[in-house]
């Protein structure tokens, strides 16, 4: 009996020890995860200037689409100098883009045209392609993710091309990180999975991999040839006046209505510019011939993931409720060939997305209405006036569009 009692006593204490050890190990792992994430966030927050090559890979296997963007980027964080808190110069094959804090201008190397935003805000850079899942994104968002105890964060060791890294993983339900600050809402039931590769020698991110729970599509951004002590660009290079001899202004965003979105050329209550839109089916639609109807002009592109998410919402939220009303949806593909758009629409048709679209290969229509990122929507009333504008994708945007359409139909 003594042996049996002693054995039971030992077993009990062993179980208690094992249980306590599991708690200690879990707590230690959580502390390690938090410490590494905090170090990464601290590293980003302490940046004054940095130069790197930004490479973004869009791999949409579900759409049979692949696209790569490479941009040489210079970033300078100047929290006291301007409302954005940073400025940049970005150079790629087609464009040279500058944000100097007081203005943003984009120089098209092919057309020698310039687009200028004289009063930039956070909205002006929220859809800039080379800021997608960039150091700017992580600098703004990691402090929020660190504080949110509902977001599970894990850190593991991994190896890539013979180099050791920390792999930080976390998930966001029904939302994704914005380019600069905050989250954008997604369709219900979608979880976005992020994995950050961190250089353990300096706690700086070298890669962001973004996946989702709907399919095998992913977006990968990489930062290479990193220089933490870069030589600053010349003073003259920061201002559009230095390029007047070579580039001609094609679009200048007005300062007259500071409450409006700076990515928009036409504002609410402006008369909609007339155009003739070539449709995929070979027909032509003139906007002026649609007077008496409510028209939703939607600028999109086959490579634009938020645009395609919006397309999935259109049938149930926009088209079906208004199929018997004086309403016309005009999706306009920006800067793409008819053949490319036709292929994408054929793929979407297999998934139940089937409605007429037009093409604007030379961006003639687009430049009359907007600049900056897509998707952008312009809602035109029966008299041909712009009555509502939205930039970017989100459930709230779709709901507002649907509500506004109903209001305009009743006028």
């Amino acid at each position: 009996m003594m042996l049996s009692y002693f054995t039971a006593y030992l077993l009990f204490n062993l179980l208690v020890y094992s249980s306590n050890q599991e708690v200690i190990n879990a707590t230690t792992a959580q502390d390690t995860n938090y410490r590494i994430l905090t170090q990464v966030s601290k590293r980003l927050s302490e940046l004054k200037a940095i130069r790197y090559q930004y490479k973004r890979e869009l791999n949409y296997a579900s759409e049979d689409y692949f696209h790569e963007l490479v941009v040489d980027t210079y970033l300078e964080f100047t929290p006291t100098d301007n409302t954005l808190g940073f400025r940049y110069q970005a150079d790629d094959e087609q464009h040279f883009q500058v944000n100097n804090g007081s203005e943003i201008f984009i120089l098209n190397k092919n057309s020698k045209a310039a687009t200028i935003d004289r009063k930039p805000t956070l909205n002006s850079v929220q859809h800039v392609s080379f800021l997608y899942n960039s150091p700017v994104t992580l600098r703004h968002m990691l402090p929020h993710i660190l504080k949110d105890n509902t977001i599970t964060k894990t850190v593991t060791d991994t190896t890539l091309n013979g180099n050791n890294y920390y792999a930080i993983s976390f998930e966001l339900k029904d939302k994704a990180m914005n380019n600069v600050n905050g989250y954008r809402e997604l369709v219900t039931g979608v979880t976005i999975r992020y994995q950050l590769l961190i250089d353990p020698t300096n706690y700086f991110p070298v890669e962001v991999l973004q996946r989702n729970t709907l399919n095998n599509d992913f977006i990968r951004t990489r930062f290479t040839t990193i220089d933490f002590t870069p030589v600053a660009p010349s003073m003259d290079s920061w201002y559009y006046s230095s390029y007047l001899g070579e580039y001609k202004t094609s679009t200048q965003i007005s300062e007259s209505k500071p409450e409006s979105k700076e990515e928009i050329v036409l504002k609410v209550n402006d008369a909609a510019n007339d155009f003739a839109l070539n449709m995929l089916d070979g027909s032509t639609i003139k906007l002026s011939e649609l007077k008496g109807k409510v028209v939703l002009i939607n600028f999109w592109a086959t490579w634009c993931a938020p645009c395609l998410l919006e397309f999935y919402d259109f049938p149930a939220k926009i088209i079906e409720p208004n199929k018997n009303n004086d309403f016309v949806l005009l999706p306009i593909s920006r800067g793409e060939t008819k053949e490319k758009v036709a292929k994408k629409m054929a793929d979407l048709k297999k998934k139940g997305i089937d409605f007429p679209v037009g093409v604007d290969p030379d961006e003639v229509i687009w430049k009359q209405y907007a600049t900056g990122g897509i998707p952008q929507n312009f809602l035109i009333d029966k008299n041909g006036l712009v009555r509502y504008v939205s930039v970017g994708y989100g459930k709230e945007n779709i709901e507002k569009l649907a509500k506004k359409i109903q209001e305009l139909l009743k006028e």
Side-chain angles (χ1 to χ4, degrees):
M1 289 293 294
M2 288 295 294
L3 181 61
S4 176
Y5 173 81
F6 184 68
T7 301
Y9 176 77
L10 285 176
L11 286 172
F12 173 76
N13 280 278
L14 183 60
L15 286 171
V16 171
Y17 173 80
S18 298
S19 178
N20 288 340
Q21 195 62 40
E22 288 177 5
V23 172
I24 291 170
N25 290 341
T27 302
T28 302
Q30 289 175 5
D31 289 345
T32 301
N33 293 349
Y34 184 82
R35 178 183 61 80
I36 293 173
L37 266 169
T38 300
Q39 285 290 97
V40 175
S41 183
K42 183 173 182 289
R43 183 74 174 93
L44 289 163
S45 68
E46 291 175 346
L47 278 180
K48 300 299 181 184
I50 186 172
R51 188 185 294 275
Y52 57 90
Q53 185 177 81
Y54 173 93
K55 182 179 288 187
R56 187 186 68 181
E57 174 189 347
L58 302 180
N59 196 318
Y60 298 151
S62 65
E63 307 290 343
D64 191 27
Y65 180 79
F66 176 86
H67 181 265
E68 188 174 81
L69 173 70
V70 179
V71 186
D72 291 323
T73 308
Y74 174 84
L75 273 176
E76 193 174 286
F77 294 95
T78 55
T80 60
D81 292 350
N82 62 72
T83 56
L84 297 180
F86 64 96
R87 60 181 191 165
Y88 58 72
Q89 290 193 13
D91 194 11
D92 63 39
E93 200 171 40
Q94 297 183 23
H95 302 93
F96 178 60
Q97 304 184 49
V98 177
N99 159 29
N100 61 31
S102 60
E103 67 181 6
I104 293 176
F105 58 89
I106 303 172
L107 307 180
N108 188 311
K109 297 178 182 180
N110 297 325
S111 67
K112 297 300 179 182
T115 302
I116 310 173
D117 183 344
R118 297 290 188 187
K119 193 173 182 180
T121 66
L122 279 179
N123 184 70
S124 306
V125 295
Q126 201 67 270
H127 306 285
V128 173
S129 56
F130 60 85
L131 293 179
Y132 190 91
N133 286 354
S134 69
V136 174
T137 309
L138 299 177
R139 178 184 168 107
H140 281 87
M141 295 307 300
L142 279 186
H144 299 287
I145 291 166
L146 269 166
K147 293 177 183 177
D148 192 337
N149 293 326
T150 67
I151 300 175
T152 301
K153 284 81 73 173
T154 61
V155 180
T156 58
D157 295 321
T158 190
T159 302
L160 179 66
N161 298 327
N163 297 314
N164 296 323
Y165 297 98
Y166 294 128
I168 298 175
S169 301
F170 57 90
E171 297 184 349
L172 300 179
K173 293 184 177 179
D174 303 332
K175 61 184 178 182
M177 295 188 297
N178 274 332
N179 279 13
V180 180
N181 198 14
Y183 301 102
R184 62 183 183 277
E185 292 186 354
L186 303 176
V187 291
T188 303
V190 177
T191 296
I192 301 298
R193 294 170 174 163
Y194 293 93
Q195 183 185 75
L196 282 54
L197 289 190
I198 308 299
D199 185 338
T201 65
N202 55 28
Y203 289 95
F204 192 80
V206 297
E207 178 179 298
V208 180
L209 178 64
Q210 176 183 321
R211 296 183 179 274
N212 68 81
T213 53
L214 292 179
N215 49 46
N216 294 321
D217 296 351
F218 67 85
I219 302 172
R220 189 197 313 271
T221 56
R222 287 176 174 158
F223 321 117
T224 60
T225 60
I226 300 170
D227 184 355
F228 293 112
T229 56
V231 175
S234 67
M235 185 66 69
D236 289 347
S237 68
W238 287 101
Y239 299 98
Y240 174 63
S241 56
S242 301
Y243 306 91
L244 285 173
E246 187 177 0
Y247 292 87
K248 181 181 179 182
T249 306
S250 63
T251 307
Q252 184 163 333
I253 300 169
S254 173
E255 298 179 52
S256 61
K257 297 182 180 180
E259 74 282 1
S260 58
K261 295 181 183 291
E262 282 72 18
E263 293 191 353
I264 298 162
V265 176
L266 285 184
K267 310 291 193 300
V268 172
N269 294 325
D270 283 350
N273 290 325
D274 194 18
F275 56 78
L277 177 63
N278 294 321
M279 307 297 289
L280 280 188
D281 63 7
S283 63
T284 300
I285 294 179
K286 286 200 69 176
L287 181 64
S288 56
E289 294 175 354
L290 297 177
K291 278 198 175 180
K293 298 180 183 291
V294 174
V295 180
L296 175 57
I297 299 172
N298 166 258
F299 289 104
W300 71 289
T302 61
W303 49 263
C304 169
C307 301
L308 298 177
L309 286 172
E310 201 167 59
F311 268 31
Y312 279 92
D313 282 341
F314 278 164
K317 300 286 183 67
I318 303 296
I319 298 173
E320 188 62 27
N322 299 295
K323 63 181 180 180
N324 297 319
N325 297 327
D326 289 327
F327 170 77
V328 177
L329 171 65
L330 281 184
I332 303 175
S333 171
R334 187 194 82 173
E336 298 183 297
T337 65
K338 186 175 181 179
E339 292 74 22
K340 189 171 187 177
V341 177
K343 184 178 183 301
K344 172 60 69 175
M345 293 308 298
D347 292 339
L348 290 174
K349 187 175 181 179
K350 299 173 186 176
K351 302 176 183 180
I353 310 301
D354 185 19
F355 43 77
V357 302
V359 292
D360 182 23
D362 298 318
E363 300 187 355
V364 174
I365 301 172
W366 163 254
K367 290 174 182 176
Q368 296 180 54
Y369 280 76
T371 182
I374 49 177
Q376 289 201 39
N377 292 289
F378 291 78
L379 192 55
I380 315 301
D381 70 11
K382 297 175 182 178
N383 297 312
L385 297 179
V386 177
R387 296 290 295 277
Y388 180 76
V389 178
S390 70
V391 179
Y393 170 75
K395 290 187 292 184
E396 185 178 333
N397 279 356
I398 293 293
E399 290 167 2
K400 284 183 178 178
L401 274 172
K403 182 180 179 182
K404 197 66 182 177
I405 290 168
Q406 295 305 311
E407 291 175 2
L408 295 182
L409 286 170
K410 294 175 183 177
E411 291 185 353

